[in-house]
Amino acid sequence: MKYHPIDSKLFTKNRKNFMAQMKPKSLAAFNSNDIYPVGADSTVPFQQARDLFYLSGVDQEESILVLFPDAPEAKHREVLFLKETNEHIAVWEGEKLTKERALEVSGIKTVYWLKEFDKVFFELMTQAETIYFNTNEHYRQAVETETREDRFIKRTKAKFPAHSWAKSNPILQRLRSVKDPIEIDVMQQACTITEKGFRRVLDFVRPGVWEHEIEAEYMHEFLRNRSRGFAYTPIIASGNNANVLHYIENNQECKAGDLILMDVGAEYANYSSDMSRTIPVSGRFTDRQRQVYDAVNRVKNDATKMLVPGTLWKEYHVEVGKLMTSELLGLGLLDKADVQNEDPDWPAYKKYFMHGTSHHIGLDTHDYGILWEPMKANMVFTVEPGIYIPDEGFGIRLEDDVVIQENGAPFNLMRNIPIEAEEIEEIMQSKDT
């Protein structure tokens, strides 16, 4: 892996926290992701199943973790099964985890090769009454592919029909949503890499560059700083393209007088960052662009202050809607009649700001977190209001990643990334002097 090793204390703690919430005489199993084919002998670059990584730090294919806190033998309370490495594999695919290296990475002492799985797992299942299956229950999931985890669940249910079944997901939703200090440090690294990319782009952008060239500048900076690349498909949207919320073509020329909305973020060690910035192609905002930009920035700053322990996600979005309504009235995009006659299920401000303001972020860009439960310290959220005006040919979104604190305002992991209009103009103008 490109990234620096993560302290195995994180994964040991994560397993301990998970096992503390398991039922008596139960075990839990977690499978790695598949390597997905493209065609012929080509495959999509491997990415580890986030839950397995969270609990073990293991970042290679064909891996299984079994947790069995009540196992009669102490050595079977935490067990890793890994693809056996050998000299041939090392030559053709590169080094895989040895048992010794797996212990260093994960803190797990008992490691078997995968060929031993069926035999060992059968023994463990005869000692257990319940098995926790790891299903994907994220509120935004829309998975059509049968995963390695899905196939494992099918096989296990068929082979052990008398066992009780339980769900890992509710436990993981709560655990993963509250970040350990080690995780926050890793996320800070992802945000710092994103900052380097953005500063590079500020120096690069001028009339006549193409959106895909900007994307390439980010990728160059991300890779040279040990990131695998973008945490999600990047949006580089100039002019009216910014009014397509998930514009990813990135194939248009950036023209003088236009704005460029960039929604990008580096991943680092499987953790995501998620930044939005909107900059002027010519290095200076028009008066109207600046009016709207400052309005979005005010909403972002005021919304951020609301992210404190005890806040409910749904109520927070209602309050942000009020902030946005006020700004849209000030910009002349709404009038009082629009607000008085609005549909409560689709308020007037939604014409110009139609998406949510915040989501959990961590190992996934849209990370785990139970939205109907109150926010807690050390949860990490995006804050990303926007105003989109197709009739005026531009859209503006601004976004930072912030850590909820026990007391006071959140800590901004993107505090060093330029966002004030004056600073962005100053940096962009300085390249021409």
Side-chain angles (χ1 to χ4, degrees), residues 72-107:
E73 289 190 74
K75 71 175 186 176
H76 284 155
R77 289 169 192 167
E78 299 181 343
V79 187
L80 265 178
F81 296 88
L82 300 176
K83 177 180 180 179
E84 184 172 5
T85 189
N86 55 44
E87 290 183 9
H88 177 79
I89 290 172
V91 168
W92 284 91
E93 300 178 29
E95 182 184 354
K96 300 294 180 183
L97 288 174
T98 62
K99 293 182 179 182
E100 295 75 21
R101 181 65 186 136
L103 171 60
E104 292 175 18
V105 167
S106 67

Side-chain angles (χ1 to χ4, degrees), residues 238-270:
S238 62
N240 236 331
N241 295 333
N243 294 308
V244 180
L245 294 183
H246 291 132
Y247 172 83
I248 56 172
E249 284 77 9
N250 303 346
N251 63 4
Q252 297 298 305
E253 185 179 1
C254 303
K255 297 175 181 175
D258 278 351
L259 298 180
I260 311 169
L261 190 162
M262 300 178 287
D263 190 333
V264 301
E267 75 80 48
Y268 181 77
N270 291 310

Side-chain angles (χ1 to χ4, degrees), residues 268-309:
Y268 181 77
N270 291 310
Y271 284 82
S272 294
S273 63
D274 189 353
M275 176 198 76
S276 293
R277 292 292 187 270
T278 307
I279 66 173
V281 174
S282 302
R284 194 173 296 281
F285 295 96
T286 66
D287 290 345
R288 177 58 170 173
Q289 290 168 349
R290 176 64 184 273
Q291 255 189 327
V292 178
Y293 187 98
D294 288 345
V296 174
N297 203 17
R298 282 192 295 270
V299 173
K300 186 190 74 71
N301 291 336
D302 289 342
T304 300
K305 295 171 188 173
M306 298 182 201
L307 294 174
V308 296

Side-chain angles (χ1 to χ4, degrees), residues 96-367:
K96 300 294 180 183
L97 288 174
T98 62
K99 293 182 179 182
E100 295 75 21
R101 181 65 186 136
L103 171 60
E104 292 175 18
V105 167
S106 67
I108 296 173
K109 295 177 182 177
T110 304
V111 181
Y112 291 104
W113 298 131
L114 203 55
K115 64 186 179 182
E116 301 172 84
F117 178 78
D118 287 343
K119 177 175 177 286
V120 175
F121 188 64
F122 181 83
E123 177 187 341
L124 300 182
M125 284 293 279
T126 64
Q127 299 163 357
E129 295 177 359
T130 300
I131 178 167
Y132 280 82
F133 289 129
N134 191 33
T135 50
N136 183 352
E137 297 180 25
H138 189 275
Y139 67 101
R140 296 177 68 138
Q141 75 85 14
V143 180
E144 296 182 9
T145 303
E146 185 177 60
T147 66
R148 191 179 191 88
E149 198 77 78
D150 294 331
R151 297 194 301 275
F152 170 81
I153 291 170
K154 276 186 183 177
R155 285 197 310 272
T156 306
K157 284 184 173 181
K159 193 168 184 179
F160 303 97
H163 279 69
S164 297
W165 306 326
K167 300 194 301 182
S168 297
N169 192 260
I171 300 174
L172 287 166
Q173 288 269 7
R174 292 184 176 92
L175 291 180
R176 276 183 49 182
S177 67
V178 178
K179 272 46 178 185
D180 184 271
I182 294 174
E183 293 183 283
I184 292 172
D185 287 345
V186 174
M187 293 182 71
Q188 180 64 78
Q189 291 184 68
C191 291
T192 299
I193 295 169
T194 301
E195 177 195 351
K196 291 179 180 181
F198 181 60
R199 289 185 181 276
R200 182 185 182 96
V201 163
L202 286 178
D203 189 55
F204 174 77
V205 166
R206 52 185 44 79
V209 304
W210 290 70
E211 293 165 347
H212 63 268
E213 293 181 299
I214 297 171
E215 181 179 346
E217 294 297 309
Y218 276 110
M219 181 59 96
H220 177 99
E221 203 65 29
F222 291 177
L223 287 175
R224 72 194 295 260
N225 283 281
R226 293 180 175 266
S227 165
R228 180 169 51 215
F230 293 98
Y232 52 92
T233 307
I235 296 168
I236 314 288
S238 62
N240 236 331
N241 295 333
N243 294 308
V244 180
L245 294 183
H246 291 132
Y247 172 83
I248 56 172
E249 284 77 9
N250 303 346
N251 63 4
Q252 297 298 305
E253 185 179 1
C254 303
K255 297 175 181 175
D258 278 351
L259 298 180
I260 311 169
L261 190 162
M262 300 178 287
D263 190 333
V264 301
E267 75 80 48
Y268 181 77
N270 291 310
Y271 284 82
S272 294
S273 63
D274 189 353
M275 176 198 76
S276 293
R277 292 292 187 270
T278 307
I279 66 173
V281 174
S282 302
R284 194 173 296 281
F285 295 96
T286 66
D287 290 345
R288 177 58 170 173
Q289 290 168 349
R290 176 64 184 273
Q291 255 189 327
V292 178
Y293 187 98
D294 288 345
V296 174
N297 203 17
R298 282 192 295 270
V299 173
K300 186 190 74 71
N301 291 336
D302 289 342
T304 300
K305 295 171 188 173
M306 298 182 201
L307 294 174
V308 296
T311 296
L312 289 169
W313 185 82
K314 190 172 183 179
E315 293 177 0
Y316 159 77
H317 279 93
V318 171
E319 294 304 311
V320 174
K322 293 176 183 176
L323 293 173
M324 183 59 77
T325 298
S326 177
E327 293 290 352
L328 293 172
L329 287 167
L331 291 168
L333 293 168
L334 295 179
D335 59 33
K336 290 182 179 178
D338 293 323
V339 178
Q340 288 167 353
N341 299 325
E342 70 183 9
D343 178 351
D345 294 328
W346 191 256
Y349 77 84
K350 290 284 190 180
K351 179 179 179 182
Y352 299 99
F353 173 39
M354 58 293 293
H355 57 79
T357 308
S358 293
H359 58 77
H360 289 271
I361 184 169
L363 278 167
D364 289 297
T365 303
H366 296 106
D367 204 31

Side-chain angles (χ1 to χ4, degrees), residues 385-418:
I387 295 176
Y388 308 91
I389 321 175
D391 290 346
E392 298 184 34
F394 67 89
I396 293 172
R397 180 163 67 251
L398 300 174
E399 176 184 20
D400 286 334
D401 303 341
V402 303
V403 186
I404 293 181
Q405 303 295 291
E406 199 67 64
N407 297 292
F411 179 75
N412 189 353
L413 296 173
M414 294 185 164
R415 63 201 175 281
N416 296 323
I417 303 179

